């Protein structure tokens, strides 16, 4: 083989080598490409994963909501049980009270329907005694109770904005008990005096005294309920019976007043 042929043959060998190397480099790049079908499959898989994650979050929220509903149902059942016990005790107490009132009426304390009392002071005296008891205990226990609770937490040394930021539970309960007493006082005073004047002084005095005892029990239970849920304080046995007493006196007065008005005409 001549030198000229060797020179001509070498370039052909180099070209073959270069073509082989370029083929090796280009082969992997063609293997890394993805078809449109594979791309769509990956997109759908990612979307499914997102939907599964969202569904899992919703299931977790529903589970928490179900637990909260179950707890609320148990609390409501407990409250209804307490109210049932309160109604039972109130019914027993009212039965005894009505029996005692009936005994007083039979003893000669009642006056005829549609007539005014001949001795107004005597008729009003029992109700006024009950009112004096309530007002004196209100100022002693309810009003001073708020002051004692505030003094315990040194309210006099705090700024106004600090007082609004966080009120101790003991102070809040004392204030709420006092406020509720004031809220119920109007119906009590009117019902007691009007019932004594139009219906019967002894009956009004007895019902007023029962009301005072119930309201004292209510306020005391409220002030002592620090850290106790409202549903477990047992206020229903006081409030329901007190409402029956005050509303009973008001309604008795209304019935007697209507009958008096009709009889005069």
């Amino acid at each position: 083989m001549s030198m000229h042929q060797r020179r001509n043959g070498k370039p052909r060998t180099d070209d073959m080598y270069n073509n082989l190397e370029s083929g090796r480099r280009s082969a992997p790049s063609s293997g890394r490409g993805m078809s449109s079908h594979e791309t769509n499959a990956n997109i759908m898989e990612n979307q499914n994963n997102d939907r599964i994650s969202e569904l899992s979050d919703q299931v977790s929220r529903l589970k928490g909501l179900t637990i909260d509903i179950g707890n609320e149902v148990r609390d409501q059942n407990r409250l209804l049980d307490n109210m049932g016990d309160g109604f039972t005790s109130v019914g027993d107490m009212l039965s005894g009270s009505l029996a005692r009132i009936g005994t007083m009426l039979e003893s000669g304390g009642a006056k005829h329907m549609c007539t005014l009392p001949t001795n107004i002071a005597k008729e009003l005296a029992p109700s006024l005694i009950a009112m004096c008891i309530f007002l004196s205990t209100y100022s002693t226990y309810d009003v001073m109770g708020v002051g004692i609770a505030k003094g315990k937490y040194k309210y006099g040394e705090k700024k106004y904005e600090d007082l609004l930021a966080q009120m101790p539970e003991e102070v809040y309960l004392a204030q709420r008990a006092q406020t509720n007493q004031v809220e119920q006082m109007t119906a009590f005073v009117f019902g007691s005096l009007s019932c004594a004047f139009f219906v019967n002084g002894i009956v009004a005095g007895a019902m007023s005294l029962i009301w005072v005892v119930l309201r004292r029990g209510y306020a005391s239970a409220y002030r002592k309920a620090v850290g106790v849920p409202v549903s477990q304080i047992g206020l229903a046995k006081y409030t329901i019976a007190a409402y029956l007493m005050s509303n009973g006196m008001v309604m008795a007065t209304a019935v007697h007043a209507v009958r008096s008005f009709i009889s005069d005409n």
Side-chain angles (χ1 to χ4, degrees):
M1 182 178 294
S2 63
M3 294 295 293
H4 179 71
Q5 290 177 340
R6 290 178 182 175
R7 291 192 188 99
N8 292 336
K10 186 175 181 179
R12 288 197 298 270
T13 304
D14 294 339
D15 293 339
M16 292 175 62
Y17 178 77
N18 292 333
N19 292 334
L20 180 61
E21 289 296 322
S22 62
R24 290 177 179 175
R25 294 191 189 98
S26 61
S29 61
S30 62
R32 286 197 300 267
M34 296 178 61
S35 64
S36 60
H37 177 73
E38 293 175 341
T39 302
N40 293 333
N42 288 335
I43 294 174
M44 294 181 63
E45 183 178 0
N46 292 332
Q47 292 177 348
N48 289 335
N49 291 335
D50 294 338
R51 297 294 183 274
I52 292 173
S53 179
E54 293 176 359
L55 182 60
S56 178
D57 294 338
Q58 293 178 359
V59 170
S60 299
R61 287 194 293 268
L62 288 175
K63 181 180 178 181
L65 181 61
T66 303
I67 294 174
D68 293 339
I69 292 175
N71 294 333
E72 182 66 21
V73 170
R74 283 191 291 271
D75 292 340
Q76 293 297 329
N77 289 335
R78 190 181 301 109
L79 176 61
L80 291 175
D81 292 338
N82 293 334
M83 290 184 64
D85 296 338
F87 277 116
T88 301
S89 60
V90 168
D92 295 339
M93 183 186 64
L94 289 179
S95 298
S97 300
L98 292 176
R100 288 189 290 272
I101 291 174
T103 302
M104 287 189 294
L105 292 176
E106 292 175 357
S107 64
K111 59 177 178 289
H112 295 290
M113 184 68 68
C114 305
T115 59
L116 295 178
T118 56
N119 190 338
I120 296 178
K122 184 177 180 180
E123 291 292 336
L124 296 180
S127 294
L128 293 175
I129 292 173
M131 290 182 189
C132 291
I133 294 174
F134 172 74
L135 292 175
S136 61
T137 55
Y138 167 78
S139 60
T140 303
Y141 293 102
D142 299 326
V143 178
M144 293 184 63
V146 175
I148 292 173
K150 289 182 177 180
K152 182 178 179 180
Y153 292 93
K154 300 180 179 180
Y155 259 47
E157 302 176 3
K158 295 182 179 180
K159 297 181 180 179
Y160 183 73
E161 54 269 19
D162 296 334
L163 299 179
L164 294 179
Q166 183 178 7
M167 178 182 294
E169 184 180 9
E170 185 175 352
V171 176
Y172 169 78
L173 293 176
Q175 287 185 342
R176 185 69 193 100
Q178 179 195 3
T179 303
N180 195 267
Q181 297 285 56
V182 176
E183 293 171 353
Q184 305 300 322
M185 195 180 300
T186 302
F188 163 66
V189 172
F190 173 79
S192 180
L193 293 178
S194 60
C195 184
F197 187 80
F198 282 98
V199 184
N200 184 274
I202 297 178
V203 173
M207 296 180 71
S208 298
L209 186 59
I210 294 173
W211 185 91
V212 171
V213 173
L214 291 170
R215 295 305 305 179
R216 288 265 53 87
Y218 169 89
S220 177
Y222 218 145
R223 285 194 300 270
K224 295 178 181 179
V226 178
V228 180
V230 178
S231 60
Q232 299 179 10
I233 300 177
L235 299 176
K237 60 184 178 182
Y238 301 109
T239 55
I240 295 174
Y243 285 140
L244 291 176
M245 292 294 105
S246 59
N247 292 337
M249 291 187 291
V250 172
M251 293 306 299
T253 301
V255 171
H256 199 101
V258 169
R259 296 182 66 177
S260 299
F261 178 77
I262 294 175
S263 64
D264 290 341
N265 292 334

